[in-house]
mmCIF file of all heavy atoms in Angstrom:
data_model
loop_
_atom_site.group_PDB
_atom_site.id
_atom_site.type_symbol
_atom_site.label_atom_id
_atom_site.label_comp_id
_atom_site.label_asym_id
_atom_site.label_seq_id
_atom_site.Cartn_x
_atom_site.Cartn_y
_atom_site.Cartn_z
ATOM 1 N N SER A 18 -33.027 121.203 11.815
ATOM 2 C CA SER A 18 -33.904 122.281 12.327
ATOM 3 C C SER A 18 -35.328 121.912 12.009
ATOM 4 O O SER A 18 -35.587 121.213 11.046
ATOM 5 C CB SER A 18 -33.506 123.605 11.693
ATOM 6 O OG SER A 18 -33.488 123.497 10.294
ATOM 7 N N LYS A 19 -36.243 122.400 12.842
ATOM 8 C CA LYS A 19 -37.643 122.104 12.560
ATOM 9 C C LYS A 19 -38.121 122.973 11.429
ATOM 10 O O LYS A 19 -37.457 123.873 10.996
ATOM 11 C CB LYS A 19 -38.507 122.211 13.816
ATOM 12 C CG LYS A 19 -38.530 123.529 14.448
ATOM 13 C CD LYS A 19 -39.333 123.440 15.760
ATOM 14 C CE LYS A 19 -39.325 124.778 16.445
ATOM 15 N NZ LYS A 19 -39.810 124.671 17.821
ATOM 16 N N ARG A 21 -39.091 123.581 7.482
ATOM 17 C CA ARG A 21 -38.905 123.062 6.107
ATOM 18 C C ARG A 21 -37.758 122.058 6.037
ATOM 19 O O ARG A 21 -37.869 121.090 5.308
ATOM 20 C CB ARG A 21 -38.693 124.197 5.121
ATOM 21 C CG ARG A 21 -37.530 125.101 5.376
ATOM 22 C CD ARG A 21 -37.294 126.036 4.223
ATOM 23 N NE ARG A 21 -38.435 126.965 3.995
ATOM 24 C CZ ARG A 21 -38.573 128.103 4.631
ATOM 25 N NH1 ARG A 21 -37.670 128.506 5.468
ATOM 26 N NH2 ARG A 21 -39.624 128.873 4.409
ATOM 27 N N ILE A 22 -36.667 122.240 6.792
ATOM 28 C CA ILE A 22 -35.540 121.297 6.692
ATOM 29 C C ILE A 22 -35.976 119.948 7.245
ATOM 30 O O ILE A 22 -35.726 118.919 6.610
ATOM 31 C CB ILE A 22 -34.308 121.853 7.360
ATOM 32 C CG1 ILE A 22 -33.850 123.096 6.595
ATOM 33 C CG2 ILE A 22 -33.195 120.798 7.487
ATOM 34 C CD1 ILE A 22 -32.400 123.335 6.411
ATOM 35 N N ARG A 62 -31.651 125.266 16.201
ATOM 36 C CA ARG A 62 -31.836 126.369 15.270
ATOM 37 C C ARG A 62 -31.081 126.076 14.002
ATOM 38 O O ARG A 62 -29.973 125.541 14.002
ATOM 39 C CB ARG A 62 -31.287 127.661 15.858
ATOM 40 C CG ARG A 62 -32.152 128.287 16.958
ATOM 41 C CD ARG A 62 -33.448 128.850 16.433
ATOM 42 N NE ARG A 62 -33.284 130.058 15.611
ATOM 43 C CZ ARG A 62 -33.418 131.301 16.107
ATOM 44 N NH1 ARG A 62 -33.657 131.534 17.367
ATOM 45 N NH2 ARG A 62 -33.271 132.319 15.268
ATOM 46 N N ALA A 63 -31.660 126.529 12.854
ATOM 47 C CA ALA A 63 -31.013 126.255 11.585
ATOM 48 C C ALA A 63 -29.570 126.669 11.559
ATOM 49 O O ALA A 63 -28.668 125.987 11.077
ATOM 50 C CB ALA A 63 -31.831 126.966 10.444
ATOM 51 N N GLY A 81 -28.544 124.829 5.332
ATOM 52 C CA GLY A 81 -28.552 125.637 4.098
ATOM 53 C C GLY A 81 -27.167 126.183 3.786
ATOM 54 O O GLY A 81 -26.378 126.392 4.627
ATOM 55 N N LYS A 82 -26.994 126.399 2.441
ATOM 56 C CA LYS A 82 -25.736 126.943 1.965
ATOM 57 C C LYS A 82 -25.500 128.333 2.633
ATOM 58 O O LYS A 82 -24.363 128.721 2.961
ATOM 59 C CB LYS A 82 -25.772 127.125 0.492
ATOM 60 C CG LYS A 82 -24.458 127.521 -0.177
ATOM 61 C CD LYS A 82 -24.585 127.567 -1.662
ATOM 62 C CE LYS A 82 -23.320 128.106 -2.315
ATOM 63 N NZ LYS A 82 -23.546 128.345 -3.761
ATOM 64 N N ASP A 83 -26.593 129.129 2.865
ATOM 65 C CA ASP A 83 -26.500 130.428 3.510
ATOM 66 C C ASP A 83 -25.860 130.276 4.897
ATOM 67 O O ASP A 83 -24.943 131.007 5.236
ATOM 68 C CB ASP A 83 -27.910 131.033 3.606
ATOM 69 C CG ASP A 83 -28.914 130.075 4.214
ATOM 70 O OD1 ASP A 83 -28.854 128.879 3.981
ATOM 71 O OD2 ASP A 83 -29.803 130.539 4.960
ATOM 72 N N VAL A 84 -26.343 129.280 5.656
ATOM 73 C CA VAL A 84 -25.862 129.051 7.014
ATOM 74 C C VAL A 84 -24.415 128.514 6.954
ATOM 75 O O VAL A 84 -23.590 128.931 7.812
ATOM 76 C CB VAL A 84 -26.819 128.038 7.699
ATOM 77 C CG1 VAL A 84 -26.159 127.400 8.901
ATOM 78 C CG2 VAL A 84 -28.146 128.726 8.077
ATOM 79 N N ALA A 102 -35.065 122.849 0.258
ATOM 80 C CA ALA A 102 -35.143 124.187 0.844
ATOM 81 C C ALA A 102 -34.495 125.185 -0.077
ATOM 82 O O ALA A 102 -33.585 125.954 0.309
ATOM 83 C CB ALA A 102 -34.536 124.228 2.253
ATOM 84 N N ARG A 103 -34.900 125.150 -1.347
ATOM 85 C CA ARG A 103 -34.279 126.010 -2.362
ATOM 86 C C ARG A 103 -34.832 127.445 -2.329
ATOM 87 O O ARG A 103 -36.045 127.640 -2.185
ATOM 88 C CB ARG A 103 -34.529 125.407 -3.738
ATOM 89 C CG ARG A 103 -33.786 124.094 -3.946
ATOM 90 C CD ARG A 103 -34.019 123.545 -5.319
ATOM 91 N NE ARG A 103 -33.725 124.535 -6.296
ATOM 92 C CZ ARG A 103 -33.640 124.265 -7.606
ATOM 93 N NH1 ARG A 103 -33.832 123.054 -8.038
ATOM 94 N NH2 ARG A 103 -33.361 125.223 -8.491
ATOM 95 N N CYS A 104 -33.945 128.367 -2.436
ATOM 96 C CA CYS A 104 -34.334 129.782 -2.521
ATOM 97 C C CYS A 104 -33.166 130.532 -3.102
ATOM 98 O O CYS A 104 -32.179 129.918 -3.523
ATOM 99 C CB CYS A 104 -34.708 130.321 -1.140
ATOM 100 S SG CYS A 104 -33.506 130.021 0.115
ATOM 101 N N LYS A 131 -28.757 139.440 7.913
ATOM 102 C CA LYS A 131 -28.360 138.392 8.859
ATOM 103 C C LYS A 131 -27.080 137.723 8.297
ATOM 104 O O LYS A 131 -26.394 137.000 9.025
ATOM 105 C CB LYS A 131 -29.533 137.408 8.866
ATOM 106 C CG LYS A 131 -29.517 136.248 9.713
ATOM 107 C CD LYS A 131 -31.006 135.711 9.707
ATOM 108 C CE LYS A 131 -31.096 134.217 9.863
ATOM 109 N NZ LYS A 131 -32.483 133.725 9.769
ATOM 110 N N TYR A 132 -26.780 137.963 7.023
ATOM 111 C CA TYR A 132 -25.720 137.228 6.308
ATOM 112 C C TYR A 132 -24.536 138.118 6.038
ATOM 113 O O TYR A 132 -24.231 138.511 4.901
ATOM 114 C CB TYR A 132 -26.292 136.607 5.021
ATOM 115 C CG TYR A 132 -27.514 135.825 5.265
ATOM 116 C CD1 TYR A 132 -28.783 136.355 4.977
ATOM 117 C CD2 TYR A 132 -27.455 134.556 5.865
ATOM 118 C CE1 TYR A 132 -29.947 135.661 5.264
ATOM 119 C CE2 TYR A 132 -28.594 133.820 6.114
ATOM 120 C CZ TYR A 132 -29.835 134.375 5.835
ATOM 121 O OH TYR A 132 -30.987 133.682 6.116
ATOM 122 N N LEU A 171 -32.864 136.057 1.932
ATOM 123 C CA LEU A 171 -33.324 134.940 1.104
ATOM 124 C C LEU A 171 -34.704 135.264 0.562
ATOM 125 O O LEU A 171 -35.525 135.796 1.250
ATOM 126 C CB LEU A 171 -33.406 133.659 1.989
ATOM 127 C CG LEU A 171 -32.075 133.221 2.574
ATOM 128 C CD1 LEU A 171 -32.280 132.030 3.531
ATOM 129 C CD2 LEU A 171 -31.103 132.871 1.483
ATOM 130 N N SER A 173 -37.876 133.457 -1.816
ATOM 131 C CA SER A 173 -38.379 132.349 -2.591
ATOM 132 C C SER A 173 -39.495 132.812 -3.507
ATOM 133 O O SER A 173 -39.282 132.990 -4.676
ATOM 134 C CB SER A 173 -38.730 131.123 -1.710
ATOM 135 O OG SER A 173 -39.588 131.513 -0.705
ATOM 136 N N ILE A 192 -29.540 129.119 -3.362
ATOM 137 C CA ILE A 192 -29.314 128.429 -2.098
ATOM 138 C C ILE A 192 -30.090 127.109 -2.065
ATOM 139 O O ILE A 192 -31.242 127.061 -2.554
ATOM 140 C CB ILE A 192 -29.859 129.335 -0.944
ATOM 141 C CG1 ILE A 192 -29.078 130.680 -0.895
ATOM 142 C CG2 ILE A 192 -29.833 128.584 0.384
ATOM 143 C CD1 ILE A 192 -27.679 130.638 -0.394
ATOM 144 N N SER A 194 -29.982 123.160 0.546
ATOM 145 C CA SER A 194 -29.424 122.616 1.757
ATOM 146 C C SER A 194 -28.527 121.432 1.466
ATOM 147 O O SER A 194 -28.732 120.709 0.521
ATOM 148 C CB SER A 194 -30.560 122.203 2.758
ATOM 149 O OG SER A 194 -31.105 123.343 3.335
HETATM 150 P P1 ATP B 12 -35.003 130.757 12.352
HETATM 151 O O1 ATP B 12 -36.334 130.695 11.746
HETATM 152 O O2 ATP B 12 -34.757 129.820 13.495
HETATM 153 O O3 ATP B 12 -34.573 132.170 12.657
HETATM 154 P P2 ATP B 12 -34.099 130.278 9.747
HETATM 155 O O4 ATP B 12 -35.052 131.305 9.234
HETATM 156 O O5 ATP B 12 -32.715 130.281 9.188
HETATM 157 O O6 ATP B 12 -33.949 130.298 11.292
HETATM 158 P P3 ATP B 12 -35.703 128.289 8.443
HETATM 159 O O7 ATP B 12 -36.698 129.327 8.079
HETATM 160 O O8 ATP B 12 -36.166 126.944 8.901
HETATM 161 O O9 ATP B 12 -34.739 128.830 9.597
HETATM 162 O O10 ATP B 12 -34.732 128.108 7.215
HETATM 163 C C1 ATP B 12 -33.847 127.058 7.162
HETATM 164 C C2 ATP B 12 -33.096 127.113 5.847
HETATM 165 O O11 ATP B 12 -34.024 127.011 4.776
HETATM 166 C C3 ATP B 12 -32.349 128.403 5.628
HETATM 167 O O12 ATP B 12 -31.048 128.332 6.152
HETATM 168 C C4 ATP B 12 -32.361 128.473 4.093
HETATM 169 O O13 ATP B 12 -31.266 127.718 3.592
HETATM 170 C C5 ATP B 12 -33.657 127.832 3.718
HETATM 171 N N1 ATP B 12 -34.736 128.835 3.503
HETATM 172 C C6 ATP B 12 -34.977 129.936 4.219
HETATM 173 N N2 ATP B 12 -36.042 130.610 3.786
HETATM 174 C C7 ATP B 12 -36.497 129.887 2.735
HETATM 175 C C8 ATP B 12 -37.584 130.045 1.811
HETATM 176 N N3 ATP B 12 -38.447 131.081 1.910
HETATM 177 N N4 ATP B 12 -37.798 129.076 0.885
HETATM 178 C C9 ATP B 12 -36.984 128.018 0.827
HETATM 179 N N5 ATP B 12 -35.914 127.842 1.638
HETATM 180 C C10 ATP B 12 -35.684 128.741 2.538
#
Side-chain angles (χ1 to χ4, degrees):
S18 52
K19 59 185 178 192
R21 57 172 63 87
I22 294 218
R62 285 290 290 264
K82 187 177 174 188
D83 51 325
V84 161
R103 291 180 54 168
C104 52
K131 182 167 150 184
Y132 308 101
L171 298 175
S173 53
I192 299 287
S194 285

